Amino acid sequence: MRALLFIVPLALTIYAFIDCLNTSEEDTKHLPKIAWVFIILLFWIVGPVVWLVAGKARRNAATGTGPSSWQRGRRQQWVAPDDNPDFLKSLKDDKDARKAEAEAESRKAEKAEAEEELKRRNGGSGPDDKTPPTS
């Protein structure tokens, strides 16, 4: 029984402290948020009660302006990556860019091979030619 006299106010203080930290600065009433944090922590039983009664602008969820409607709106914005057309388009664009880069490198290698073959046919000696010069 004595433990309840300590645990209940402690739980109330922890709840009010976390609620205050999660509340935006615009939703706090009468005082700045940092002041409410100090009141909750310094005035152990009274501070949390005052915060819960007067510190936060509470909105009615039935009007559609409360946090629940905001959370519902946020949930609708999140889409799984495989269902998000923008994400799938970016993957396709990345794949196309890599494919074009690989084709360019392939053309460059083919051109270098063709030049080397042409030099060998013409008997030219270049810096990469490993055959000794003939006199």
Side-chain angles (χ1 to χ4, degrees), residues 3-125:
L4 282 178
L5 293 175
F6 180 74
I7 293 174
V8 171
L10 180 65
L12 181 65
T13 302
I14 292 171
Y15 173 78
F17 179 69
I18 292 172
D19 187 40
C20 181
L21 291 178
N22 288 332
T23 302
S24 67
E25 190 72 40
E26 295 85 31
D27 289 340
T28 57
K29 295 189 325 185
H30 308 295
L31 293 172
K33 188 173 173 180
I34 191 74
W36 280 113
V37 169
F38 284 122
I39 289 172
I40 291 169
L41 295 177
L42 291 177
F43 303 103
W44 203 51
I45 296 173
V46 177
V49 172
V50 172
W51 164 255
L52 293 173
V53 172
K56 183 176 180 181
R58 311 262 182 219
R59 294 188 180 108
N60 188 358
T63 62
T65 59
S68 61
S69 66
W70 178 80
Q71 290 170 348
R72 280 194 303 269
R74 291 289 289 177
R75 256 186 245 127
Q76 291 175 353
Q77 291 177 357
W78 292 102
V79 178
D82 56 343
D83 293 336
N84 187 342
D86 295 331
F87 178 74
L88 295 175
K89 184 178 181 295
S90 72
L91 288 179
K92 184 176 183 275
D93 292 344
D94 289 345
K95 183 179 177 184
D96 292 344
R98 283 188 300 236
K99 185 177 179 182
E101 190 176 304
E103 288 174 357
E105 288 179 20
S106 174
R107 283 191 297 265
K108 188 177 178 181
E110 288 173 0
K111 184 179 178 182
E113 288 176 11
E115 288 176 358
E116 187 179 315
E117 181 66 28
L118 184 62
K119 284 182 185 179
R120 269 191 258 133
R121 284 186 186 169
N122 292 339
S125 60

